[in-house]
Amino acid sequence: MALEYFDPPNIDKSILRKAGINETILVPIKPSSGALPQNCLNNVNTYIDRFGGEVQLGWIFSIMGNVALKLTAHAVVKTKEQKFICITPNLNRKDNVRFCPDNGVSSLIVNNFLPQKLIPLISSKVLDEYLALEREMNDLRLSNLRLVSQKQVQEIQLKAQLLYPSILHLAMGNTSQKDYCFCGSYKKRCKCCK
């Protein structure tokens, strides 16, 4: 049984409030020719050079096991008509992406890498430790002016693997039968992992 971040069809407003988010919008995904996955800022800049518009930075959301929320900085196109479109292909999101515009993201970009934020949804020491390891990996990615040694990555991954059974147990205990399943299947738990 795997536990991964997933993009649920709906995110409860109380969860978003924990991240300081009051409102989100659904932005249609219309992949642009030549756009690459996980390369949204470059994709948007290339699109704007060809067709006009502006870069709009903000956050997209995913949940891990109903115990943690991940905000990933994302760039979309703001058209001349003041509409938003996401031109970056995404395997997990087909028709639209839940997006919160935030111009403050630009000050968080390091070496052209977009940041992430991790927010615990429950109070748990082991979850805090696990998320600290994820933040450490993210910091390595952002500060990649120097080469990151394989040893550094493996040490972090090993620590995370040791915590993983406890995180899975937390996810199982914090997912009701009516919630989207903690495994990320996009099914309700009552029709998935029992």
Side-chain angles (χ1 to χ4, degrees), residues 103-154:
N103 294 325
V105 168
S106 62
S107 66
L108 303 174
I109 297 172
V110 178
N111 304 323
N112 214 31
F113 287 107
L114 298 179
Q116 296 176 343
K117 293 182 184 180
L118 298 160
I119 294 121
L121 300 177
I122 62 169
S123 180
S124 163
K125 184 178 177 184
V126 71
L127 178 61
D128 292 343
E129 290 176 35
Y130 190 84
L131 294 180
L133 292 170
E134 284 201 43
R135 289 184 190 101
E136 190 175 345
M137 282 291 277
N138 190 47
D139 289 346
L140 283 175
R141 181 180 66 88
L142 290 175
S143 64
N144 198 10
L145 282 175
R146 54 183 167 70
L147 282 175
V148 177
S149 76
Q150 193 63 27
K151 183 180 178 191
Q152 282 177 295
V153 172
Q154 287 174 339

Side-chain angles (χ1 to χ4, degrees), residues 4-8 10-22 24 59-73 93 98 100 115-122 127-128 130-131 134-135 167:
E4 296 180 12
Y5 284 95
F6 68 100
D7 178 29
N10 298 305
I11 301 178
D12 190 272
K13 289 191 178 208
S14 65
I15 290 174
L16 292 174
R17 278 195 295 271
K18 288 184 180 188
I21 304 291
N22 293 321
T24 63
W59 302 100
I60 57 176
F61 313 93
S62 53
I63 291 179
M64 180 185 67
N66 297 304
V67 295
L69 177 68
K70 181 189 284 186
L71 280 67
T72 302
R93 297 172 174 102
R98 188 171 305 282
C100 176
Q116 296 176 343
K117 293 182 184 180
L118 298 160
I119 294 121
L121 300 177
I122 62 169
L127 178 61
D128 292 343
Y130 190 84
L131 294 180
E134 284 201 43
R135 289 184 190 101
I167 299 300

Side-chain angles (χ1 to χ4, degrees), residues 1-193:
M1 184 177 315
L3 185 62
E4 296 180 12
Y5 284 95
F6 68 100
D7 178 29
N10 298 305
I11 301 178
D12 190 272
K13 289 191 178 208
S14 65
I15 290 174
L16 292 174
R17 278 195 295 271
K18 288 184 180 188
I21 304 291
N22 293 321
E23 198 170 330
T24 63
I25 55 176
L26 290 177
V27 174
I29 297 174
K30 298 178 180 178
S32 179
S33 174
L36 300 172
Q38 299 181 352
N39 197 28
C40 61
L41 188 54
N42 290 331
N43 293 339
V44 167
N45 283 324
T46 299
Y47 181 96
I48 289 169
D49 287 346
R50 292 172 61 201
F51 304 109
E54 301 173 41
V55 175
Q56 177 62 63
L57 294 167
W59 302 100
I60 57 176
F61 313 93
S62 53
I63 291 179
M64 180 185 67
N66 297 304
V67 295
L69 177 68
K70 181 189 284 186
L71 280 67
T72 302
H74 190 61
V76 299
V77 174
K78 185 176 184 180
T79 67
K80 294 173 186 173
E81 296 78 28
Q82 304 298 300
K83 295 184 179 180
F84 297 128
I85 55 169
C86 177
I87 52 99
T88 300
N90 189 309
L91 296 174
N92 300 318
R93 297 172 174 102
K94 300 290 184 214
D95 300 321
N96 54 56
V97 61
R98 188 171 305 282
F99 182 74
C100 176
D102 181 356
N103 294 325
V105 168
S106 62
S107 66
L108 303 174
I109 297 172
V110 178
N111 304 323
N112 214 31
F113 287 107
L114 298 179
Q116 296 176 343
K117 293 182 184 180
L118 298 160
I119 294 121
L121 300 177
I122 62 169
S123 180
S124 163
K125 184 178 177 184
V126 71
L127 178 61
D128 292 343
E129 290 176 35
Y130 190 84
L131 294 180
L133 292 170
E134 284 201 43
R135 289 184 190 101
E136 190 175 345
M137 282 291 277
N138 190 47
D139 289 346
L140 283 175
R141 181 180 66 88
L142 290 175
S143 64
N144 198 10
L145 282 175
R146 54 183 167 70
L147 282 175
V148 177
S149 76
Q150 193 63 27
K151 183 180 178 191
Q152 282 177 295
V153 172
Q154 287 174 339
E155 285 174 359
I156 295 170
Q157 288 174 335
L158 179 60
K159 290 176 186 175
Q161 284 174 356
L162 294 172
L163 294 173
Y164 183 80
S166 297
I167 299 300
L168 180 58
H169 182 72
L170 281 173
M172 293 171 75
N174 284 279
T175 305
S176 76
Q177 294 295 311
K178 294 180 183 177
D179 289 333
Y180 287 100
C181 192
F182 55 85
C183 73
S185 66
Y186 295 90
K187 297 176 186 173
K188 297 287 184 164
R189 182 175 179 179
C190 61
K191 295 184 178 179
C192 193
C193 301

